Amino acid sequence: MIGGNDMKLNSCAPSLTRCMPLLEDLEDRISQLAQQMRADGIEKIIFLGYYNGTGNAAELREINNYSMNLKAASYAGLGITFIDVRQTFNGNEARYLLNDGIHPTAEGSRVLADLIKQAL
């Protein structure tokens, strides 16, 4: 799987156009993974989305928003519960993100855990 940090380190960033093949491949892999999980008997699949980072990570906002909007529109059809955390984190970055602008603080982690709990 590809995570947010992997996108930051990939040579396509910060261009959404150049990252499209990578994003499309990621969605294909997630679809295949969801199918395999269903075949293995997993009944509840939850995908915790990415918030928009700050600082140097802010350059990935366009890519992240595209990716999260795609997931929000398509994951229900794949039987995946998608948790969009962007609105929750928006305006709360100083409390919810460490100084690196990427990783959540303890408070931010509790917020994410509560969102997952609500989805369960």
Side-chain angles (χ1 to χ4, degrees):
M1 281 309 240
I2 297 171
N5 289 343
D6 298 313
M7 186 63 72
K8 175 78 173 145
L9 299 173
N10 192 287
S11 63
C12 72
S15 168
L16 174 58
T17 302
R18 287 198 324 256
C19 286
M20 290 302 289
L22 181 63
L23 293 171
E24 290 169 3
D25 181 58
L26 175 61
E27 292 309 316
D28 288 343
R29 290 180 188 208
I30 290 172
S31 176
Q32 292 169 7
L33 178 60
Q35 290 174 4
Q36 183 60 53
M37 292 169 78
R38 293 270 181 243
D40 289 343
I42 295 172
E43 296 176 11
K44 182 86 170 172
I45 303 171
I46 298 174
F47 188 101
L48 182 67
Y50 287 114
Y51 42 81
N52 284 310
T54 59
N56 290 338
E59 70 180 7
L60 300 177
R61 186 173 299 260
E62 180 182 29
I63 295 168
N64 187 56
N65 283 333
Y66 175 86
S67 180
M68 295 304 107
N69 290 340
L70 180 62
K71 289 167 176 38
S74 64
Y75 278 17
L78 296 173
I80 299 172
T81 299
F82 174 69
I83 303 172
D84 192 343
V85 302
R86 292 174 294 171
Q87 189 64 31
T88 303
F89 269 61
N90 188 33
N92 296 300
E93 292 88 355
R95 291 185 4 236
Y96 294 169
L97 297 179
L98 294 172
N99 290 337
D100 66 6
I102 298 172
H103 298 97
T105 61
E107 184 177 2
S109 294
R110 279 190 294 279
V111 168
L112 296 173
D114 286 344
L115 292 170
I116 292 169
K117 184 178 174 183
Q118 290 172 19
L120 292 172

